């Protein structure tokens, strides 16, 4: 059956990665031309999404610039590259100053002026805002920076705009775009205030709000995914694993957001936009892991493959 014949029967929606189309095949009528235009537009949409994803990863503040993760202790934490530092940041100043942690308050006390900035202005004594309270305060000097995150307790996340992982990045391999993996799923809302415990790679767990369950069909079987609800989000968030996990895709699963929120009991889930979590790109991330409910007995051959780097 030719591509044009598949288009006329509707089967083209499952076959984007088809052989090249000849002019003879495309000249069979307006219906076929319309389908071809839709497929081309969809390919362009996913291509633009992947390009934006690549640009985020390749940015100087992306996950590939992450070079360190260090826990903070109560009291004085001396920061610098010097041997006497409590937290050593190689390649930076011998003495950046100190972070003083007292009853949940973090104060940064800079060393003598020497090019350090805090959120872009010359360093001065200041309270550091951790990520759990909003946009974190960034302390920077030259190509190195750090900020505070809360993961059960406080820690420093350290970045380097000249990190070897970032400089060597050329892109992430993806499965071919396939419209058949863009599914119109049924949506079953969660109960009011329903939560689930989500574990992370550190062995910690966090209670997260459940938005609901999505159901979709593939090859005659019904599959379900539990969607997480983030504050003020315009979509549901899925952490999932499948039969490609640890083989063709990252061993700790992948992330995916729905295309918008549910409407009339339906929701669009496009697996062509499934992507690797940050810990696929560095060893300093604290990624959440898919819950048991989201371990699919299905090979999801769409979206990003595992990232292999030296």
């Amino acid at each position: 059956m030719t591509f044009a014949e598949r288009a006329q029967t509707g089967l083209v929606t499952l076959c984007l990665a088809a052989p090249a189309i000849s002019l003879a095949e495309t000249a069979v009528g307006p219906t076929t031309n319309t389908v071809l235009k839709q497929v081309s537009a969809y390919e362009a949409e996913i291509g633009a999404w992947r390009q934006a994803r690549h640009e985020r990863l390749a940015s100087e503040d992306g996950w590939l610039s992450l070079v360190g993760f260090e826990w903070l202790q109560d009291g004085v934490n001396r920061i610098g590259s010097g041997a006497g530092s409590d937290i050593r940041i190689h390649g930076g100043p011998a003495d950046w100053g100190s972070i003083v942690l007292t009853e949940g308050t973090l104060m940064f006390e800079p060393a003598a002026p020497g090019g350090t900035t805090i959120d872009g202005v010359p360093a001065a004594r200041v309270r550091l805002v951790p990520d759990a309270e909003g946009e974190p305060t960034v302390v920077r000097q030259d190509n190195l920076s750090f900020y505070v995150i809360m993961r059960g307790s406080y820690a420093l996340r350290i970045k380097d705009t000249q990190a070897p992982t970032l400089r060597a990045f050329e892109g992430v391999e993806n499965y071919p775009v396939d419209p058949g993996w863009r599914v119109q799923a049924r949506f079953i809302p969660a109960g009011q205030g329903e939560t689930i415990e989500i574990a992370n790679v550190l062995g910690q767990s966090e209670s997260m709000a459940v938005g609901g369950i999505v159901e979709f069909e593939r090859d005659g079987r019904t599959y379900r995914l539990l969607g997480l609800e983030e504050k003020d989000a315009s979509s549901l968030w899925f952490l999932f694993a499948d039969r490609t996990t640890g083989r063709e895709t990252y061993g700790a699963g992948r992330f995916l957001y729905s295309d918008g929120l549910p409407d009339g009991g339906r929701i669009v889930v496009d697996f062509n936009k499934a992507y690797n979590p940050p810990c696929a790109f560095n060893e300093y991330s604290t990624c959440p892991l898919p819950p048991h409910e989201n371990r699919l007995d299905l090979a999801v051959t769409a979206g990003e493959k595992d990232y292999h780097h030296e």
Side-chain angles (χ1 to χ4, degrees):
M1 184 181 294
T2 67
F3 184 93
E5 289 169 334
R6 290 198 298 275
Q8 290 176 316
T9 62
L11 296 178
V12 69
T13 58
L14 298 179
C15 190
L16 181 64
I21 315 302
S22 71
L23 290 177
E25 288 179 297
T26 62
V28 298
T31 301
T32 302
N33 289 335
T34 299
V35 171
L36 291 174
K37 288 178 181 178
Q38 291 173 343
V39 171
S40 179
Y42 180 71
E43 285 183 309
E45 175 193 335
I46 298 301
W49 187 93
R50 289 178 176 176
Q51 179 61 31
R53 162 76 170 156
H54 176 90
E55 290 172 2
R56 289 193 299 272
L57 286 171
S59 73
E60 290 189 343
D61 196 43
W63 290 113
L64 289 153
S65 68
L66 192 57
V67 295
F69 176 94
E70 300 285 349
W71 293 109
L72 292 167
Q73 306 299 322
D74 288 334
V76 178
N77 299 264
R78 293 172 298 174
I79 314 295
S81 61
S85 301
D86 298 307
I87 295 178
R88 298 187 68 182
I89 300 179
H90 298 285
D95 184 11
W96 284 52
S98 299
I99 295 175
V100 182
L101 174 55
T102 308
E103 297 181 351
T105 298
L106 299 126
M107 297 298 300
F108 179 64
E109 300 179 350
T116 299
T117 63
I118 298 175
D119 286 343
V121 301
R125 187 175 187 272
V126 67
R127 175 181 176 269
L128 299 180
V129 176
D131 69 338
E133 297 180 19
E135 193 68 25
T137 306
V138 178
V139 180
R140 185 183 304 276
Q141 181 155 328
D142 298 326
N143 56 297
L144 293 165
S145 64
F146 63 80
Y147 55 91
V148 179
I149 64 174
M150 165 56 85
R151 297 296 183 271
S153 58
Y154 293 109
L156 279 193
R157 178 168 278 170
I158 304 161
K159 292 189 172 185
D160 182 356
T161 61
Q162 297 299 314
T165 48
L166 177 59
R167 297 176 67 180
F169 179 65
E170 296 181 350
V172 181
E173 185 180 0
N174 286 267
Y175 288 101
V177 179
D178 182 350
W181 281 109
R182 184 181 188 273
V183 300
Q184 291 274 354
R186 291 180 295 277
F187 177 70
I188 306 167
Q192 183 70 28
E194 184 176 341
T195 62
I196 187 173
E197 290 297 312
I198 298 293
N200 66 22
V201 295
L202 299 178
Q204 302 167 329
S205 66
E206 178 182 359
S207 181
M208 302 189 73
V210 177
I213 298 291
V214 300
E215 286 187 342
F216 64 96
E217 278 73 41
R218 185 78 182 178
D219 299 330
R221 290 183 59 186
T222 299
Y223 299 92
R224 308 180 99 205
L225 280 175
L226 181 148
L228 301 175
E229 189 173 55
E230 298 177 297
K231 184 178 179 181
D232 300 325
S234 58
S235 55
L236 293 182
W237 184 30
F238 304 95
L239 316 172
F240 76 96
D242 64 277
R243 293 181 68 85
T244 71
T245 302
R247 297 177 174 86
E248 297 178 343
T249 61
Y250 183 59
R254 289 182 286 173
F255 293 176
L256 176 64
Y257 283 90
S258 63
D259 286 3
L261 291 172
D263 183 13
R266 309 292 292 183
I267 190 169
V268 175
V269 180
D270 192 341
F271 288 96
N272 289 288
K273 298 177 182 177
Y275 65 97
N276 290 317
C279 44
F281 302 97
N282 65 74
E283 56 188 285
Y284 305 107
S285 299
T286 57
C287 299
L289 299 170
H292 176 75
E293 292 86 342
N294 285 4
R295 298 180 181 275
L296 299 172
D297 184 21
L298 169 71
V300 178
T301 54
E304 287 186 353
K305 296 185 177 182
D306 197 3
Y307 177 63
H308 299 286
H309 56 91
E310 296 299 329

